[in-house]
Amino acid sequence: QVRLVESGGGSVQAGGSLRLSCVASRYTYTVHHWGWFRQVPGKEREGIAAIYPPGATTYYSDSVEGRFTMSQDVAKNTLYLQMNDLKPEDTAVYYCAASDQAAHLAYGASWFLAPVRYRYWGQGTQVTVSS
């Protein structure tokens, strides 16, 4: 199965930036699209960014649109999530995920950001934003 390892989490003050990385290995050729999610204890996992490799189309949740940017280095099998203008409400455990489910860019953000689309998950990395 696909293996995902995140890094780059940490603590930052509000208004600061962090860049998360996610290295993928094993059977990555089976992956159709990739995503970043976050979860706060007691709440459901939230899809915040996704990328559909044909054309590198990206999708974002309203909560991070304009502040976060997802990108992919195909040669390095690495995903990135650049997070700018961080807010205390961005505090969460962040996960990258991979989906082997067939997709089409016309499906839209709500489809690509649904956790149910994703089979493979990393272990998560904590991001803490203080006010």
Side-chain angles (χ1 to χ4, degrees):
Q1 63 182 29
V2 178
R3 183 169 181 259
L4 303 168
V5 180
E6 303 99 336
S7 62
S11 297
V12 65
Q13 290 191 332
S17 298
L18 283 173
R19 188 176 80 156
L20 305 183
S21 300
C22 174
V23 178
S25 60
R26 303 178 187 170
Y27 307 105
T28 57
Y29 59 88
T30 66
V31 178
H32 286 252
H33 52 279
W34 310 81
W36 282 99
F37 296 77
R38 65 186 182 187
Q39 190 167 24
V40 175
K43 293 189 177 181
E44 292 186 356
R45 192 164 292 188
E46 175 191 13
I48 56 172
I51 192 165
Y52 183 50
T57 303
T58 51
Y59 306 87
Y60 298 96
S61 66
D62 290 342
S63 58
V64 307
E65 177 83 53
R67 300 187 297 122
F68 291 11
T69 302
M70 181 175 183
S71 59
Q72 180 182 25
D73 186 329
V74 176
K76 295 182 178 180
N77 280 330
T78 301
L79 303 171
Y80 301 99
L81 185 69
Q82 177 66 43
M83 305 186 295
N84 298 329
D85 189 25
L86 283 161
K87 304 176 181 180
E89 52 264 41
D90 293 319
T91 296
V93 177
Y94 283 71
Y95 300 89
C96 66
S99 173
D100 56 5
Q101 189 171 1
H104 189 282
L105 61 86
Y107 289 173
S110 60
W111 192 92
F112 280 95
L113 297 179
V116 70
R117 310 292 175 206
Y118 295 80
R119 184 190 299 270
Y120 307 107
W121 295 84
Q123 82 288 351
T125 185
Q126 177 71 45
V127 171
T128 302
V129 184
S130 58
S131 58

